[in-house]
């Protein structure tokens, strides 16, 4: 791999991401909220996504695509289905070496009076769904660089006037997000695609992609997600658990 050529492509991709703006949507690579973010938050999130992608665009064996960025996960790390505690070595199963190959940086403010929980302020944000997805992939015997995590709508949709909330992306937002998934696939080349949740699956199949649909881990779906991923990986010969 020509590292500098591939990094240039990754940076151009992130610049496209940063150009996107929409009402009640937070763009981790372009937007800044002084109530929650450290001063250099946008730059940190761009660098972390770039580092995450450059490790995987030629190594990934599967692409896992969920619905949207959540406020406890990618909103603050800049990486899909990856929360701050993982990149800060505050997580019991996933560490910064697995995600980035180096120590990560938090972008949420330790001193923010608007972050409600003490543990979120002191240790960073934690997202249960992120834990399920990472654990399922690692338990299947995949190496961290074997799987690439993404969201069909890669930004953080939130409720009006409530930054620390999540909402389902609209149909038009999902179509906006599809463009960025297609741009990502230009970087990686063809990969087996696993759609996590109905919104991701419907958007991708509606665009003509062949995907393996998986139950979303939220709302009691964790076991079905793990079983679905394991069974599919066994069928394709990628399971090594």
């Amino acid at each position: 791999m020509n590292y500098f050529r591939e990094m240039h492509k990754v940076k151009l991709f992130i610049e496209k991401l940063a150009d996107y703006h929409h009402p009640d949507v937070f763009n981790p690579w372009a937007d800044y909220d002084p109530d929650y973010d450290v001063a250099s938050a946008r730059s940190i999130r761009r660098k972390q996504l770039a580092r995450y992608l450059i490790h995987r665009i030629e190594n990934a064996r599967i692409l896992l695509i969920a619905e949207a960025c959540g406020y406890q996960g990618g909103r603050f790390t800049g990486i899909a289905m990856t929360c701050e505690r993982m990149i800060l070595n505050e997580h019991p199963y996933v560490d910064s070496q697995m995600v980035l190959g180096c120590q990560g940086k938090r972008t949420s403010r330790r001193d923010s009076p608007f972050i409600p929980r003490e543990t979120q302020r002191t240790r960073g944000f934690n997202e249960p769904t992120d834990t399920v997805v990472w654990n399922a992939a690692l338990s299947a015997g995949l190496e961290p660089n074997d799987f690439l995590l993404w969201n069909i709508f890669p930004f953080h949709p939130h409720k009006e006037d409530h930054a620390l909330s999540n909402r389902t992306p609209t149909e038009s937002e999902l179509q906006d997000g599809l463009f960025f998934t297609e741009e990502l696939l230009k970087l990686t080349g063809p990969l087996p695609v696993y759609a996590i949740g109905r919104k991701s699956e419907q958007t991708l199949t509606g665009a003509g992609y062949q995907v393996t649909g998986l139950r979303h881990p939220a709302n009691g779906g964790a076991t079905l997600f793990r079983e679905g991923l394991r069974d599919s990986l066994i069928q394709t010969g990628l399971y090594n658990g």
Side-chain angles (χ1 to χ4, degrees), residues 88-194:
L88 297 174
N89 299 316
E90 290 281 353
H91 193 274
Y93 309 116
V94 181
D95 61 35
S96 60
Q97 195 68 28
M98 294 178 184
V99 182
L100 298 170
C102 66
Q103 175 71 36
K105 294 183 179 180
R106 68 181 292 172
T107 67
S108 63
R109 283 177 49 196
R110 289 179 180 272
D111 62 345
S112 171
F114 304 103
I115 295 176
R117 298 178 185 173
E118 176 66 20
T119 54
Q120 291 171 336
R121 292 192 296 273
T122 57
R123 299 177 61 197
F125 280 88
N126 185 50
E127 169 55 65
T129 294
D130 298 352
T131 297
V132 173
V133 172
W134 272 89
N135 276 358
L138 294 172
S139 296
L142 295 175
E143 294 296 325
N145 291 349
D146 286 341
F147 57 96
L148 175 54
L149 304 174
W150 194 247
N151 290 302
I152 192 65
F153 187 67
F155 313 98
H156 172 223
H158 57 83
K159 298 174 183 177
E160 185 177 3
D161 298 324
H162 191 182
L164 293 191
S165 67
N166 296 323
R167 66 169 174 82
T168 301
T170 65
E171 288 302 316
S172 65
E173 288 170 343
L174 290 168
Q175 291 304 310
D176 291 344
L178 178 63
F179 165 80
F180 295 102
T181 298
E182 292 174 334
E183 290 295 299
L184 177 62
L185 284 166
K186 291 178 184 178
L187 291 177
T188 64
L191 286 174
V193 176
Y194 290 76

Side-chain angles (χ1 to χ4, degrees), residues 3-76:
Y3 177 85
F4 295 103
R5 182 178 66 244
E6 296 305 314
M7 180 57 80
H8 179 66
K9 292 179 181 178
V10 166
K11 288 183 176 179
L12 289 177
F13 173 63
I14 294 173
E15 287 177 7
K16 291 179 181 179
L17 287 168
D19 284 340
Y20 183 82
H21 298 282
H22 200 267
D24 299 322
V25 171
F26 186 89
N27 184 328
W29 311 284
D31 295 337
Y32 168 74
D33 189 332
D35 288 345
Y36 304 104
D37 288 333
V38 299
S40 55
R42 287 172 292 197
S43 174
I44 292 171
R45 291 190 287 256
R46 287 189 187 198
K47 289 177 181 177
Q48 290 184 163
L49 178 60
R51 190 170 186 92
Y52 174 81
L53 291 177
I54 202 66
H55 280 292
R56 290 164 175 83
I57 56 174
E58 289 199 353
N59 296 312
R61 303 169 75 186
I62 64 171
L63 177 58
L64 290 159
I65 305 179
E67 182 180 287
C69 181
Y71 79 87
Q72 296 185 102
R75 186 264 183 243
F76 283 107

